[in-house]
PDB file of all heavy atoms in Angstrom:
ATOM      1  N   VAL A 939     -28.191  15.759  -3.571  1.00 93.00           N
ATOM      2  CA  VAL A 939     -28.811  16.705  -2.639  1.00 93.00           C
ATOM      3  C   VAL A 939     -28.538  18.131  -3.112  1.00 93.00           C
ATOM      4  O   VAL A 939     -27.563  18.394  -3.806  1.00 93.00           O
ATOM      5  CB  VAL A 939     -28.276  16.523  -1.200  1.00 93.00           C
ATOM      6  CG1 VAL A 939     -28.684  15.166  -0.655  1.00 93.00           C
ATOM      7  CG2 VAL A 939     -26.759  16.675  -1.157  1.00 93.00           C
ATOM      8  N   ASP A 940     -29.414  19.042  -2.723  1.00 89.00           N
ATOM      9  CA  ASP A 940     -29.285  20.433  -3.154  1.00 89.00           C
ATOM     10  C   ASP A 940     -28.342  21.240  -2.270  1.00 89.00           C
ATOM     11  O   ASP A 940     -27.695  22.178  -2.742  1.00 89.00           O
ATOM     12  CB  ASP A 940     -30.660  21.113  -3.174  1.00 89.00           C
ATOM     13  CG  ASP A 940     -31.568  20.531  -4.250  1.00 89.00           C
ATOM     14  OD1 ASP A 940     -31.041  20.126  -5.298  1.00 89.00           O
ATOM     15  OD2 ASP A 940     -32.798  20.475  -4.022  1.00 89.00           O
ATOM     16  N   TYR A 941     -28.275  20.874  -0.980  1.00 90.00           N
ATOM     17  CA  TYR A 941     -27.439  21.639  -0.055  1.00 90.00           C
ATOM     18  C   TYR A 941     -26.493  20.690   0.685  1.00 90.00           C
ATOM     19  O   TYR A 941     -26.886  19.585   1.084  1.00 90.00           O
ATOM     20  CB  TYR A 941     -28.306  22.391   0.953  1.00 90.00           C
ATOM     21  CG  TYR A 941     -29.232  23.390   0.304  1.00 90.00           C
ATOM     22  CD1 TYR A 941     -30.573  23.074   0.063  1.00 90.00           C
ATOM     23  CD2 TYR A 941     -28.765  24.641  -0.088  1.00 90.00           C
ATOM     24  CE1 TYR A 941     -31.419  24.004  -0.547  1.00 90.00           C
ATOM     25  CE2 TYR A 941     -29.604  25.565  -0.698  1.00 90.00           C
ATOM     26  CZ  TYR A 941     -30.926  25.238  -0.929  1.00 90.00           C
ATOM     27  OH  TYR A 941     -31.755  26.137  -1.537  1.00 90.00           O
ATOM     28  N   PRO A 942     -25.249  21.108   0.883  1.00 93.00           N
ATOM     29  CA  PRO A 942     -24.283  20.225   1.557  1.00 93.00           C
ATOM     30  C   PRO A 942     -24.560  20.124   3.054  1.00 93.00           C
ATOM     31  O   PRO A 942     -24.904  21.118   3.698  1.00 93.00           O
ATOM     32  CB  PRO A 942     -22.947  20.911   1.294  1.00 93.00           C
ATOM     33  CG  PRO A 942     -23.286  22.359   1.134  1.00 93.00           C
ATOM     34  CD  PRO A 942     -24.640  22.383   0.472  1.00 93.00           C
ATOM     35  N   SER A 943     -24.413  18.928   3.591  1.00 94.00           N
ATOM     36  CA  SER A 943     -24.559  18.726   5.031  1.00 94.00           C
ATOM     37  C   SER A 943     -23.261  19.129   5.724  1.00 94.00           C
ATOM     38  O   SER A 943     -22.225  19.340   5.081  1.00 94.00           O
ATOM     39  CB  SER A 943     -24.855  17.259   5.330  1.00 94.00           C
ATOM     40  OG  SER A 943     -23.755  16.444   4.937  1.00 94.00           O
ATOM     41  N   ARG A 944     -23.309  19.232   7.038  1.00 94.00           N
ATOM     42  CA  ARG A 944     -22.094  19.535   7.810  1.00 94.00           C
ATOM     43  C   ARG A 944     -21.042  18.465   7.596  1.00 94.00           C
ATOM     44  O   ARG A 944     -19.838  18.768   7.485  1.00 94.00           O
ATOM     45  CB  ARG A 944     -22.431  19.657   9.293  1.00 94.00           C
ATOM     46  CG  ARG A 944     -23.295  20.848   9.647  1.00 94.00           C
ATOM     47  CD  ARG A 944     -23.606  20.863  11.129  1.00 94.00           C
ATOM     48  NE  ARG A 944     -22.410  21.041  11.916  1.00 94.00           N
ATOM     49  CZ  ARG A 944     -21.919  22.226  12.269  1.00 94.00           C
ATOM     50  NH1 ARG A 944     -22.535  23.337  11.901  1.00 94.00           N
ATOM     51  NH2 ARG A 944     -20.828  22.320  13.005  1.00 94.00           N
ATOM     52  N   LYS A 945     -21.464  17.205   7.504  1.00 97.00           N
ATOM     53  CA  LYS A 945     -20.519  16.106   7.271  1.00 97.00           C
ATOM     54  C   LYS A 945     -19.828  16.274   5.925  1.00 97.00           C
ATOM     55  O   LYS A 945     -18.612  16.058   5.804  1.00 97.00           O
ATOM     56  CB  LYS A 945     -21.266  14.772   7.328  1.00 97.00           C
ATOM     57  CG  LYS A 945     -20.362  13.558   7.107  1.00 97.00           C
ATOM     58  CD  LYS A 945     -21.157  12.271   7.179  1.00 97.00           C
ATOM     59  CE  LYS A 945     -20.262  11.053   6.916  1.00 97.00           C
ATOM     60  NZ  LYS A 945     -21.037   9.786   6.967  1.00 97.00           N
ATOM     61  N   THR A 946     -20.592  16.659   4.916  1.00 97.00           N
ATOM     62  CA  THR A 946     -20.024  16.871   3.587  1.00 97.00           C
ATOM     63  C   THR A 946     -19.012  18.011   3.607  1.00 97.00           C
ATOM     64  O   THR A 946     -17.919  17.905   3.027  1.00 97.00           O
ATOM     65  CB  THR A 946     -21.136  17.190   2.572  1.00 97.00           C
ATOM     66  OG1 THR A 946     -22.000  16.048   2.456  1.00 97.00           O
ATOM     67  CG2 THR A 946     -20.554  17.522   1.206  1.00 97.00           C
ATOM     68  N   ILE A 947     -19.348  19.089   4.286  1.00 96.00           N
ATOM     69  CA  ILE A 947     -18.452  20.236   4.350  1.00 96.00           C
ATOM     70  C   ILE A 947     -17.160  19.883   5.090  1.00 96.00           C
ATOM     71  O   ILE A 947     -16.058  20.219   4.631  1.00 96.00           O
ATOM     72  CB  ILE A 947     -19.154  21.434   5.028  1.00 96.00           C
ATOM     73  CG1 ILE A 947     -20.261  21.965   4.113  1.00 96.00           C
ATOM     74  CG2 ILE A 947     -18.140  22.543   5.336  1.00 96.00           C
ATOM     75  CD1 ILE A 947     -21.117  23.039   4.732  1.00 96.00           C
ATOM     76  N   TRP A 948     -17.289  19.173   6.209  1.00 97.00           N
ATOM     77  CA  TRP A 948     -16.082  18.795   6.953  1.00 97.00           C
ATOM     78  C   TRP A 948     -15.229  17.807   6.168  1.00 97.00           C
ATOM     79  O   TRP A 948     -13.999  17.825   6.264  1.00 97.00           O
ATOM     80  CB  TRP A 948     -16.454  18.228   8.318  1.00 97.00           C
ATOM     81  CG  TRP A 948     -16.713  19.292   9.336  1.00 97.00           C
ATOM     82  CD1 TRP A 948     -17.909  19.643   9.881  1.00 97.00           C
ATOM     83  CD2 TRP A 948     -15.748  20.183   9.896  1.00 97.00           C
ATOM     84  NE1 TRP A 948     -17.757  20.683  10.751  1.00 97.00           N
ATOM     85  CE2 TRP A 948     -16.441  21.043  10.790  1.00 97.00           C
ATOM     86  CE3 TRP A 948     -14.368  20.337   9.731  1.00 97.00           C
ATOM     87  CZ2 TRP A 948     -15.784  22.037  11.510  1.00 97.00           C
ATOM     88  CZ3 TRP A 948     -13.725  21.339  10.455  1.00 97.00           C
ATOM     89  CH2 TRP A 948     -14.422  22.162  11.330  1.00 97.00           C
ATOM     90  N   THR A 949     -15.864  16.968   5.380  1.00 98.00           N
ATOM     91  CA  THR A 949     -15.102  16.065   4.507  1.00 98.00           C
ATOM     92  C   THR A 949     -14.291  16.888   3.509  1.00 98.00           C
ATOM     93  O   THR A 949     -13.101  16.613   3.280  1.00 98.00           O
ATOM     94  CB  THR A 949     -16.048  15.121   3.743  1.00 98.00           C
ATOM     95  OG1 THR A 949     -16.779  14.329   4.685  1.00 98.00           O
ATOM     96  CG2 THR A 949     -15.262  14.202   2.816  1.00 98.00           C
ATOM     97  N   GLY A 950     -14.932  17.903   2.914  1.00 97.00           N
ATOM     98  CA  GLY A 950     -14.226  18.783   1.985  1.00 97.00           C
ATOM     99  C   GLY A 950     -13.096  19.529   2.655  1.00 97.00           C
ATOM    100  O   GLY A 950     -12.012  19.699   2.073  1.00 97.00           O
ATOM    101  N   ILE A 951     -13.313  19.969   3.887  1.00 98.00           N
ATOM    102  CA  ILE A 951     -12.280  20.693   4.627  1.00 98.00           C
ATOM    103  C   ILE A 951     -11.066  19.796   4.869  1.00 98.00           C
ATOM    104  O   ILE A 951      -9.920  20.191   4.621  1.00 98.00           O
ATOM    105  CB  ILE A 951     -12.839  21.210   5.966  1.00 98.00           C
ATOM    106  CG1 ILE A 951     -13.827  22.355   5.730  1.00 98.00           C
ATOM    107  CG2 ILE A 951     -11.705  21.679   6.887  1.00 98.00           C
ATOM    108  CD1 ILE A 951     -14.550  22.829   6.984  1.00 98.00           C
ATOM    109  N   PHE A 952     -11.308  18.567   5.347  1.00 97.00           N
ATOM    110  CA  PHE A 952     -10.199  17.670   5.689  1.00 97.00           C
ATOM    111  C   PHE A 952      -9.434  17.194   4.453  1.00 97.00           C
ATOM    112  O   PHE A 952      -8.199  17.151   4.450  1.00 97.00           O
ATOM    113  CB  PHE A 952     -10.707  16.464   6.486  1.00 97.00           C
ATOM    114  CG  PHE A 952     -10.997  16.770   7.929  1.00 97.00           C
ATOM    115  CD1 PHE A 952     -12.229  16.477   8.485  1.00 97.00           C
ATOM    116  CD2 PHE A 952     -10.038  17.355   8.738  1.00 97.00           C
ATOM    117  CE1 PHE A 952     -12.504  16.765   9.811  1.00 97.00           C
ATOM    118  CE2 PHE A 952     -10.299  17.658  10.059  1.00 97.00           C
ATOM    119  CZ  PHE A 952     -11.534  17.357  10.604  1.00 97.00           C
ATOM    120  N   ILE A 953     -10.141  16.828   3.401  1.00 98.00           N
ATOM    121  CA  ILE A 953      -9.462  16.353   2.197  1.00 98.00           C
ATOM    122  C   ILE A 953      -8.617  17.467   1.575  1.00 98.00           C
ATOM    123  O   ILE A 953      -7.461  17.253   1.185  1.00 98.00           O
ATOM    124  CB  ILE A 953     -10.474  15.807   1.167  1.00 98.00           C
ATOM    125  CG1 ILE A 953     -11.146  14.540   1.710  1.00 98.00           C
ATOM    126  CG2 ILE A 953      -9.773  15.487  -0.165  1.00 98.00           C
ATOM    127  CD1 ILE A 953     -12.227  13.978   0.800  1.00 98.00           C
ATOM    128  N   SER A 954      -9.179  18.666   1.500  1.00 98.00           N
ATOM    129  CA  SER A 954      -8.413  19.789   0.941  1.00 98.00           C
ATOM    130  C   SER A 954      -7.227  20.131   1.833  1.00 98.00           C
ATOM    131  O   SER A 954      -6.165  20.540   1.339  1.00 98.00           O
ATOM    132  CB  SER A 954      -9.310  21.014   0.738  1.00 98.00           C
ATOM    133  OG  SER A 954      -9.870  21.460   1.958  1.00 98.00           O
ATOM    134  N   ALA A 955      -7.374  19.959   3.159  1.00 97.00           N
ATOM    135  CA  ALA A 955      -6.269  20.222   4.079  1.00 97.00           C
ATOM    136  C   ALA A 955      -5.139  19.210   3.883  1.00 97.00           C
ATOM    137  O   ALA A 955      -3.950  19.558   4.005  1.00 97.00           O
ATOM    138  CB  ALA A 955      -6.764  20.189   5.522  1.00 97.00           C
ATOM    139  N   ILE A 956      -5.482  17.971   3.573  1.00 97.00           N
ATOM    140  CA  ILE A 956      -4.459  16.954   3.297  1.00 97.00           C
ATOM    141  C   ILE A 956      -3.662  17.334   2.052  1.00 97.00           C
ATOM    142  O   ILE A 956      -2.417  17.281   2.038  1.00 97.00           O
ATOM    143  CB  ILE A 956      -5.104  15.567   3.129  1.00 97.00           C
ATOM    144  CG1 ILE A 956      -5.649  15.077   4.471  1.00 97.00           C
ATOM    145  CG2 ILE A 956      -4.086  14.561   2.564  1.00 97.00           C
ATOM    146  CD1 ILE A 956      -6.486  13.815   4.381  1.00 97.00           C
ATOM    147  N   PHE A 957      -4.349  17.748   1.000  1.00 96.00           N
ATOM    148  CA  PHE A 957      -3.659  18.183  -0.209  1.00 96.00           C
ATOM    149  C   PHE A 957      -2.852  19.450   0.052  1.00 96.00           C
ATOM    150  O   PHE A 957      -1.788  19.655  -0.543  1.00 96.00           O
ATOM    151  CB  PHE A 957      -4.661  18.406  -1.345  1.00 96.00           C
ATOM    152  CG  PHE A 957      -5.080  17.141  -2.039  1.00 96.00           C
ATOM    153  CD1 PHE A 957      -6.235  16.475  -1.672  1.00 96.00           C
ATOM    154  CD2 PHE A 957      -4.311  16.605  -3.067  1.00 96.00           C
ATOM    155  CE1 PHE A 957      -6.621  15.304  -2.290  1.00 96.00           C
ATOM    156  CE2 PHE A 957      -4.685  15.444  -3.704  1.00 96.00           C
ATOM    157  CZ  PHE A 957      -5.842  14.782  -3.323  1.00 96.00           C
ATOM    158  N   PHE A 958      -3.359  20.282   0.939  1.00 96.00           N
ATOM    159  CA  PHE A 958      -2.655  21.497   1.338  1.00 96.00           C
ATOM    160  C   PHE A 958      -1.300  21.132   1.961  1.00 96.00           C
ATOM    161  O   PHE A 958      -0.288  21.807   1.717  1.00 96.00           O
ATOM    162  CB  PHE A 958      -3.526  22.272   2.327  1.00 96.00           C
ATOM    163  CG  PHE A 958      -2.970  23.591   2.759  1.00 96.00           C
ATOM    164  CD1 PHE A 958      -2.750  24.607   1.849  1.00 96.00           C
ATOM    165  CD2 PHE A 958      -2.702  23.833   4.103  1.00 96.00           C
ATOM    166  CE1 PHE A 958      -2.257  25.838   2.262  1.00 96.00           C
ATOM    167  CE2 PHE A 958      -2.219  25.055   4.522  1.00 96.00           C
ATOM    168  CZ  PHE A 958      -1.988  26.061   3.602  1.00 96.00           C
ATOM    169  N   GLY A 959      -1.296  20.072   2.765  1.00 94.00           N
ATOM    170  CA  GLY A 959      -0.046  19.601   3.354  1.00 94.00           C
ATOM    171  C   GLY A 959       0.891  19.006   2.319  1.00 94.00           C
ATOM    172  O   GLY A 959       2.098  19.278   2.315  1.00 94.00           O
ATOM    173  N   LEU A 960       0.343  18.217   1.412  1.00 94.00           N
ATOM    174  CA  LEU A 960       1.167  17.564   0.392  1.00 94.00           C
ATOM    175  C   LEU A 960       1.871  18.574  -0.506  1.00 94.00           C
ATOM    176  O   LEU A 960       3.026  18.379  -0.895  1.00 94.00           O
ATOM    177  CB  LEU A 960       0.292  16.628  -0.459  1.00 94.00           C
ATOM    178  CG  LEU A 960      -0.225  15.369   0.229  1.00 94.00           C
ATOM    179  CD1 LEU A 960      -1.225  14.638  -0.674  1.00 94.00           C
ATOM    180  CD2 LEU A 960       0.931  14.436   0.604  1.00 94.00           C
ATOM    181  N   ILE A 961       1.175  19.659  -0.843  1.00 94.00           N
ATOM    182  CA  ILE A 961       1.763  20.652  -1.742  1.00 94.00           C
ATOM    183  C   ILE A 961       2.910  21.398  -1.070  1.00 94.00           C
ATOM    184  O   ILE A 961       3.753  22.011  -1.750  1.00 94.00           O
ATOM    185  CB  ILE A 961       0.676  21.639  -2.237  1.00 94.00           C
ATOM    186  CG1 ILE A 961       1.104  22.298  -3.567  1.00 94.00           C
ATOM    187  CG2 ILE A 961       0.421  22.705  -1.196  1.00 94.00           C
ATOM    188  CD1 ILE A 961       1.137  21.377  -4.734  1.00 94.00           C
ATOM    189  N   HIS A 962       2.971  21.365   0.269  1.00 91.00           N
ATOM    190  CA  HIS A 962       4.045  22.051   0.982  1.00 91.00           C
ATOM    191  C   HIS A 962       5.294  21.181   1.138  1.00 91.00           C
ATOM    192  O   HIS A 962       6.344  21.693   1.557  1.00 91.00           O
ATOM    193  CB  HIS A 962       3.568  22.517   2.356  1.00 91.00           C
ATOM    194  CG  HIS A 962       2.771  23.778   2.320  1.00 91.00           C
ATOM    195  ND1 HIS A 962       1.427  23.801   2.004  1.00 91.00           N
ATOM    196  CD2 HIS A 962       3.120  25.079   2.533  1.00 91.00           C
ATOM    197  CE1 HIS A 962       0.991  25.045   2.037  1.00 91.00           C
ATOM    198  NE2 HIS A 962       1.993  25.841   2.350  1.00 91.00           N
TER     199      HIS A 962
END
């Protein structure tokens, strides 16, 4: 797809937030 859906964006937000926690 050319543009990310809201679901795709929230998936990116949550996965990056999990890694954000792990790095701390």
Side-chain angles (χ1 to χ4, degrees):
V939 295
D940 293 327
Y941 299 99
S943 64
R944 293 178 64 89
K945 180 180 178 181
T946 296
I947 291 174
W948 278 109
T949 299
I951 289 174
F952 283 126
I953 294 176
S954 61
I956 291 171
F957 279 95
F958 184 62
L960 290 172
I961 203 69
H962 280 81

